[in-house]
Amino acid sequence: MSDETPLPDGFESITVTANGTRLHAVVGGTGAPVLLLHGWPQTWRAWRHLMPTLAAHGYRVIAPDLRGTGASSRPPSGYDKDTQAQDMRELLAQLGIHGGVRVVGHDIGGMVAFAYARRHPEEVEHLVLVELALPGFGLEQAMDVASGGLFHFGLFMTEKLPELLIEGRESEFITWWFDWLSAVPGTFPPEEVDTIASSYRGYEALRAGFAHYRTLLDDGRVNRAWHETGGTLPMPVLAVGGEHSTGARLADSLNTAAPHLTGAVITGSGHFVPEERPDAFARELLPFLSAPLRAAGRI
């Protein structure tokens, strides 16, 4: 596997072995570290519009491919979000980063970001969660089709079946997926879809991608057990939803778990906020990331 897509100016690709897995990341900028974690079916490129902006505002930006995606390796296991949080922690350690990190996660990447903050709160300065239903905090309801939930969770969690259905039709499926979940026409032109599909093409690549979904029920049990025994997030948390997708539901679901919570809804956006409305997202993100810890408040 390789990543031959163009990089933003001033960024470079690196590959390290972290937590026993080969991980690819794109890094650039100097200053306080910001870890950007993408969702499914995406790679580090989900952040390509925001990475130069963050670097220009004095941040060291690290945008990995999660295990099983992009140019990272595709191990048979380890897709639970706690293991992936350790992937990210060891990746940062290889870069000389041992704390003081701002973690931003979208979709599946938001689940990994939450696990990182839950497990190592002393290392996470600010946490930003974008467009997801969090395991243990509303995901189980979002996947309940009998109550109006979304169908794809059950499909993707089924062993082997989605691979068999989608293999050979990756571009067509991803085109449909982005059309279904986005609200801004033109966000994903055919050449971008082709680039993304190339990272998910073939049975094994699809298997690794769907493996992120096949741990969700266990991820939820872990999160609930933590919260039921008194766990809360001590750092400032920004919960971001798209107007035409999650909206304020993510922030509402974190009401009891994040005492220093701020919610934001990005007008006009669907699920893929960092690509559909990058400028509007940056207007929420940059002040939050730079705010002193004591200044972050709850709305």
Side-chain angles (χ1 to χ4, degrees):
M1 289 171 289
S2 65
D3 191 331
E4 299 177 354
T5 58
L7 303 182
D9 289 344
F11 284 79
E12 63 176 346
S13 284
I14 64 164
T15 301
V16 303
T17 298
N19 202 20
T21 300
R22 187 169 64 87
L23 297 176
H24 168 259
V26 176
V27 299
T30 58
V34 177
L35 179 66
L36 303 175
L37 303 180
H38 67 84
W40 188 95
Q42 298 190 276
T43 67
W44 71 267
R45 286 181 55 77
W47 306 104
R48 66 195 181 281
H49 301 309
L50 286 164
M51 292 162 66
T53 300
L54 287 166
H57 280 79
Y59 293 106
R60 186 181 184 190
V61 180
I62 305 99
D65 290 331
L66 299 178
R67 71 163 58 203
T69 70
S72 293
S73 63
R74 299 167 181 157
S77 61
Y79 294 89
D80 63 280
K81 307 312 171 284
D82 280 19
T83 296
Q84 294 197 70
Q86 188 63 22
D87 290 351
M88 296 302 108
R89 189 170 183 246
E90 294 190 21
L91 167 65
L92 293 178
Q94 298 251 9
L95 297 173
I97 300 167
H98 300 279
V101 64
R102 292 150 173 83
V103 185
V104 184
H106 172 256
D107 188 77
I108 293 289
M111 301 177 190
V112 178
F114 181 87
Y116 195 140
R118 173 175 55 75
R119 289 169 59 87
H120 302 286
E122 73 285 355
E123 298 178 8
V124 177
E125 295 272 341
H126 296 75
L127 176 65
V128 182
L129 303 176
V130 186
E131 269 295 315
L132 68 144
L134 191 64
F137 292 88
L139 175 66
E140 293 75 9
Q141 292 72 34
M143 66 170 64
D144 181 6
V145 293
S147 300
L150 299 173
F151 79 95
H152 68 279
F153 290 104
L155 173 62
F156 294 172
M157 292 167 69
T158 303
E159 294 283 347
K160 300 182 180 180
L161 179 61
E163 293 93 318
L164 294 172
L165 294 175
I166 296 170
E167 185 179 14
R169 303 176 180 86
E170 293 87 352
S171 291
E172 293 85 349
F173 178 79
I174 291 173
T175 297
W176 177 86
W177 182 263
F178 287 146
D179 286 345
W180 179 44
L181 292 177
S182 63
V184 179
T187 298
F188 298 99
E191 59 271 21
E192 182 62 23
V193 171
D194 288 344
T195 297
I196 295 168
S198 69
S199 296
Y200 286 87
R201 186 162 287 125
Y203 187 94
E204 185 58 19
L206 289 167
R207 189 275 312 164
F210 294 130
H212 291 275
Y213 285 84
R214 291 168 181 161
T215 67
L216 291 181
L217 295 180
D218 286 339
D219 297 332
R221 284 187 280 267
V222 170
N223 288 342
R224 281 196 303 276
W226 164 80
H227 190 43
E228 288 169 358
T229 55
T232 59
L233 298 174
M235 73 289 296
V237 178
L238 174 63
V240 179
E243 178 188 11
H244 301 294
S245 186
T246 300
R249 291 192 297 276
L250 174 59
D252 292 343
S253 73
L254 292 169
N255 209 20
T256 60
H260 309 289
L261 174 67
T262 301
V265 176
I266 304 301
T267 302
S269 185
H271 177 62
F272 301 98
V273 168
E275 290 159 290
E276 293 184 63
R277 297 293 188 195
D279 292 342
F281 180 40
R283 286 194 292 271
E284 298 288 346
L285 179 64
L286 290 168
F288 177 79
L289 293 181
S290 64
L293 298 185
R294 65 181 180 274
R298 181 175 176 179
I299 62 170

